[in-house]
Amino acid sequence: MEPVDILKWFASISGIIAAFMVSLDNGRRVTGWGFALFVASSIAWISGALMSGDEPLMSQNLVLFGINIFGVYRYLIRKKGA
């Protein structure tokens, strides 16, 4: 298996786990860590897309990376009610 394939498999599996964590609605901490995992997934997708020349996938995940960073801020950094 090529390194790019390993990266894409990590991105896919971590994205699935992150989506499950967010969908649980099991409190701010679990949701926040789900978004943190989404950040890692986005970074892996961006890296894999750069390695394979897949510009649409890279563009999509650059936007999702920003959304996921906001999720981390909202659920793990910002105080509740602020």
Side-chain angles (χ1 to χ4, degrees):
M1 190 178 284
E2 298 290 321
V4 69
D5 295 323
I6 294 168
L7 195 58
K8 288 181 176 182
W9 274 110
F10 168 77
S12 180
I13 293 167
S14 62
I16 291 166
I17 293 168
F20 180 68
M21 290 172 72
V22 170
S23 73
L24 285 174
D25 193 21
N26 201 16
R28 294 180 65 80
R29 194 161 190 77
V30 172
T31 300
W33 282 108
F35 275 111
L37 190 53
F38 267 139
V39 168
S41 177
S42 291
I43 291 169
W45 276 123
I46 292 165
S47 300
L50 281 171
M51 292 169 76
S52 63
D54 193 342
E55 292 177 9
L57 182 62
M58 183 183 68
S59 300
Q60 174 192 11
N61 278 280
L62 283 170
V63 173
L64 291 174
F65 175 78
I67 293 167
N68 296 328
I69 288 290
F70 178 69
V72 168
Y73 168 75
R74 184 166 184 243
Y75 287 95
L76 291 180
I77 298 170
R78 185 178 76 172
K79 301 287 184 208
K80 187 174 180 179

